[in-house]
Amino acid sequence: MSNPSGQPTLFDAKANDETMAAEKPKEKSKPSADGGGATAEAMAKKQREISVSEFFTKNRHLLGFDSPRKALLTAVKEAVDNSLDACEEARILPDIKVTIARIGQSEKQFTMTVEDNGPGIVKAQVPNVFGRLLYGSKFHRLRQSRGQQGIGISAAGMYGQLTTGHPVRVRSKPGKKSVPLEFSIRIDTAKNRPDATDRVIEWDKDHGTEVSIDMEGEYRRGQKSVEEFLKLMAVANPHVQLTFTDPDGNVTRYERGTSELPKEVEEIKPHPHGVELGILLKMLQESENRTLSAFLQQDFSRVGPTVAKEICDKAGVKPETNPRRLDAAAVQKLKAAIDATKIMAPPLSCIAPIGEPLIIAGLKKEVEADFYVATSRKPVVYRGHPFAIEVGIAYGRPGDTLQVTEGGKIVEAAKKKSNEEVLMGAADEPIRLIRFANRVPLVFQQSACAITKAVIGTNWKNYGLQQPRGALPIGPMVVFVHIASVWVPFTSESKEAIAGYDEILEELRLALMDAGRKLGIHVRKGKKLASEFKKRNYITMYIPHVVEALRDILDLDEKAVASASTNLTTVLEKSRKL
Amino acid sequence: MSNPSGQPTLFDAKANDETMAAEKPKEKSKPSADGGGATAEAMAKKQREISVSEFFTKNRHLLGFDSPRKALLTAVKEAVDNSLDACEEARILPDIKVTIARIGQSEKQFTMTVEDNGPGIVKAQVPNVFGRLLYGSKFHRLRQSRGQQGIGISAAGMYGQLTTGHPVRVRSKPGKKSVPLEFSIRIDTAKNRPDATDRVIEWDKDHGTEVSIDMEGEYRRGQKSVEEFLKLMAVANPHVQLTFTDPDGNVTRYERGTSELPKEVEEIKPHPHGVELGILLKMLQESENRTLSAFLQQDFSRVGPTVAKEICDKAGVKPETNPRRLDAAAVQKLKAAIDATKIMAPPLSCIAPIGEPLIIAGLKKEVEADFYVATSRKPVVYRGHPFAIEVGIAYGRPGDTLQVTEGGKIVEAAKKKSNEEVLMGAADEPIRLIRFANRVPLVFQQSACAITKAVIGTNWKNYGLQQPRGALPIGPMVVFVHIASVWVPFTSESKEAIAGYDEILEELRLALMDAGRKLGIHVRKGKKLASEFKKRNYITMYIPHVVEALRDILDLDEKAVASASTNLTTVLEKSRKL
C-alpha cells in the first residue's frame, strides 16, 4: 500500500483493511503537532535488522578494541584464552608461543600470532570458530573455562579485517596423523558468516593450532602491556609454558612452575535454585522427559526421587504429569515449590579454584614482599552458577620495612632499588590490585569492577593500613583477587571487569576481610617492632653518653663502664617488657 | 563419519578423504599428553551457534538487568527514550506518562507502563520493535537519538518474560483515523524472533504508543530511583511533560519548561576521515555509483568534485574507475589519500546540543545554588562521528556560603535544611556529578565512565576546590556533563557509561577546564568575601567595646558615641580598602 500523501492511514497489514474501509478518512489528519515531522509509516521504512557483526563493528570498544594500544593486548588475550582452554580440556600441558611483529617497518600495523600445542580444531569448525561471532562450545556448558561467549577471537579477527583489510590466518593440526591445513578467513559482517579458503601445508608439529591476525595497533611496554599481561597470566597459571617474542625480536620465557594441570572440571546441569521462571518454562517445553518427576531429576543437578516428589507435592502437581502440559499457573507454583525446597548445593567439580598454596607460590614467584597470605573461600552460588572467591596478599617491600630474622633479632634490611619489574608500589602509594577471572588477568577497567568496589569497600584501617575515603588503601601491598566460576558475569563483552551481583560482592567482602585479618596481625606486629626498633635506637644512642657521664662522676674503670652499660641496657629494656 | 574409538582421525569434511586414505593411521595417536582429555573431534560436536537473545538472557547485566532494583529503572529508561525519540522525529511535543504498579500485593513484581502521545508504530513493525533484539531504525542512521542499538526495549521485555513468564503488552495508534490495536508479544529466545498476537481495542487518543511490561523488581526512592531519573530527565529535556505514578498511587508531574522542541536533527552521510579500511572496502563493494568520483561524492559527506579529484589524484586511481574494481592495494592507497586530504568537518545538523542558556535554566530549575555557569563546546569528530561536549556547574548551597545581594551588601543567608530533594551535597562531601548522553541521564556505573575520569583528571585545586588524589573534588557543587553525538560509544549495551575514546576525553577535559576557570573566579571572590565577612564581624564585635572605653575616658554624650562608632567603622573599613 503506497501512501504518497504521507497521511497516516499507516496500517499496512491485511487485518485492518476492513476497519480502514469502514472509517475512510474524510480529512487529512497528521499525528504531528506542527505538521513537519515524520509519520509512523515513514519511520517503519527505516526499521531493519542489525547483524551481530555490524553491531560489534560499530561498538568495537565493547570487545576491547577501542584504542590501538588496547587492540594488541585484547587479541593476545583472546587467542591465549582459547589455547589454554583447549589444552586443558584435552589434558595437554600447554606450551604457548606469542609473537608480535611489525608489518614492514610500520609502527602502526602488527601481526599477532599465537601458537599452541593443543588438540587442534577439525576442518569444518575452523571457519566458524574464527569467522563468526556468537559461535562456540563454551556458552551452553556449565563448567569453568576462560572463554565463554563465542565472541573473543572472531572479534579480534574482525578488528584486524576492519583496520588492515587482511583475513585471519589459521593453521590447525588435530593429531599426529592428520594433515595440517592453513585457512584464510574473512568475516562477512552483514551476515555474520565466515568466508574461508584452506590449503594443505607442511607443519612440523604433532598437534596444535596457530592463529595470525594483522591489525592496527600500538606496541607498548610497562603497565597494561602484553608483557605485563603474560606475566600476570604466569602468576595464575603456573602450569603454562609461555614464550613471548616482541616486535624487536626480544624473547621472554615464562617457565612452567609445575607440571600438574589444574583439576579437570566437569560439566554440570543447572541447579534448580538458580533457574528463573522464563528458563524453567523453556526447559519444560524442550525436555525429552515424559514426566515431571523425570524432568526434575534428569534436567537438573542435585534432584533425586525424594526431592522431586517433595517439589511436586508442594506445587500440587502430579509427578507423572507431562512437563509440556503444565499451564502457566502450574509453572508458577512449580517455581515457588522449587524455591521453597531445600536442595543440596550444586556439585563443585565444575570449577577449579587455584587454592591457597598455589596463590602464595604464584605471588612469591613474581612479587617480592615481606609477608604473604591467601584465602580461598568455599564455592557458593549466584543465579545457579557455582563460583569461588580467592584472595592473596603480598605485603611490605623488603628494604622499606623492618625484618625479623629467625632468632628474633631485628635487623634493617638493605634498601632495594625499585625497578620496573616490581609490581608493588611505594609505601605512600595506593596498593596494587591484580584481578583475575577463571585464571585470566583483568587488565583494563579496574574502576568498573566489582572486585575494586569490594576492595575499596573494605575498611583497611582495621588492618593497620591508611585508606582515603572511597579509594584504595595506601601501602606497599599487592592484592590478588580471583573469581572462579562456570559463568563469570563480565560488565562487557571485552571481559575486563566483573558485574556487581550481590552474591559476588558479598563473597568478595568476606574473602577480603579474612585475608585482611591475617594481614592485620602482621602489620600490627610490624608497627610494634618498628616502634621498638625506634626506642632501642634511642637506648643505643644515649646509653654511651649516660655511661660516660657516670664514669666521670663516679670515676669508673673500663670494666665497670662496660658492666654499667650492659646493666643499664638490660634494665631499660626490661622496663619496656621486651 | 562416526569415530567410536575416540581417536583423532578428526577431519570430517570431504576435501581430506584422499589424504586420509593415503596415510591411514597405523597406530592410535592421541593429542593428549596423559591420554585422558577430549579430542578436537569431541570438542567439535559441542560447537554451536548462540542466539543473540540467549546471549543476552544469560548476560542480562549487560543490558542493565543485573538486580531487581535496577530492572525497573532500566525498563523505564528504555521506554521513555523510545517515546521521546519518536515524538521528536514526528515533531510532537512529548507528553509521557510513566506508571509503576504492584502486581497484586507483591513487593517483588511490578507492571511498568509508559504511554506517549507520539506517532505510534505501524502494525507490521510492533512485534519486531518489541520482540526482537538488534532490530530498529536508529542503528544505521547518522543522527542524534537516544536509542541507537535496537536492543533496549526488547531487552526489557525479555527480562519481564524471564522473571514473570508474561508477554509484553503494547498499544499503538498511529493516527486519529487509524484503529488502535493491542499486541501481546513473546520473544522466542532460541531464535530471537517475536511471537505476537493482536486485537482491536478502544483507545481514546489521537495517536500514541503504550508499552506495559510485568517484571521482577524492587521499588526504591532516593538515589538511583525512577523518580531521580525522571527528575534528571526533566533537567535535560525541558520540552517534555512527564507524569509519574508510583506504586502507592502518588503522582508527580514534571511540567514542561518550554514549548519549543529541540532543533530537528538531520541524517548525514559518513565523513571520509572517520572511515576505517574495512568499512571503506565494504562501501566500495556495495556502492550503487559507477565511478570512484561519484562514489566519493555521493556516499560521503563533504566531498565535492574538487576534493574527489584530489583524493583520486593522490591515490593514483582514475576518477572513472568502477568502485567495485579496485584491488586491495588500490584501496589501501585510496584510504591513505583520504587521510592526507583536507576535508571540511562533517555537517553539524545531525546533532542538537542543549546550549548554555538551557543548561543553566535546567540546573536552576532543579538545583538551588549561588552560582551557575555553562560551557557548550563546538562539535568535533571521533571516528567520523560528530559530537559535542557540554558542561554546567551549580556551585554553593545557599545558606552554607555567603551571598552578595544586588546592592553589593553581604548578608548571611538563612541556613536551609537539606531535604532529599537537594541534589547537592554538603561542603565537605564529594561533588555531585550528573552525566547525560543525548539528553538521557546516566544513572549507573559512574566510576566506569569517561566523564567521571575526565572530572577526576581535572585539577580542581586550580579553581579553588579541594580534591583528594584520584577522586572527585570536594565541595557544594553539582557538575552537569552532556555528550551529544550521532553515536555515543557506551561501555555496555545498558548504556550506563561512556567509553574512553581519546578524542572524547580531550573534549571533556577542555570543556571542564573552561567551566572550571569561570568557577574559579567566583570561588576566589567568595573566599575573599568570606574572609572580609569574618574581619567585618570582628569590627562589629569589638567597636562597641572600644567606643564604650572611649566614652568613659573622654566623657562623651550619646550623640558623640554614635558618631565615633560610625567614624571608627568607616576608618577601619577604609584601611582594609573595601
Side-chain angles (χ1 to χ4, degrees), chain A residues 61 70 224 433 435 442-456 470 472 488-501 504-505 508, chain B residues 61-62 66 70 224 435 444-450 452-453 456 490-492 494 496-500:
Chain A
H61 53 273
K70 270 180 78 171
K224 300 187 182 178
L433 175 61
R435 300 169 292 131
L442 309 180
V443 175
F444 297 102
Q445 293 203 38
Q446 174 164 304
S447 56
C449 188
I451 291 177
T452 312
K453 285 188 187 113
V455 172
I456 289 175
L472 289 175
V488 180
F490 291 106
T491 60
S492 85
E493 289 80 352
S494 59
K495 303 192 287 181
E496 296 167 340
I498 314 289
Y501 278 95
I504 294 175
L505 282 167
L508 283 166
Chain B
H61 55 273
L62 293 182
D66 34 337
K70 270 181 77 172
K224 300 188 182 178
R435 300 169 292 131
F444 298 102
Q445 292 203 39
Q446 175 165 305
S447 55
C449 188
T452 312
K453 284 185 188 113
I456 289 174
F490 291 106
T491 60
S492 85
S494 58
E496 295 168 340
I498 316 288

Side-chain angles (χ1 to χ4, degrees), chain A residues 559-571:
Chain A
K559 199 180 149 202
V561 165
S563 153
S565 173
T566 309
N567 290 340
L568 207 52
T569 306
T570 309
V571 169

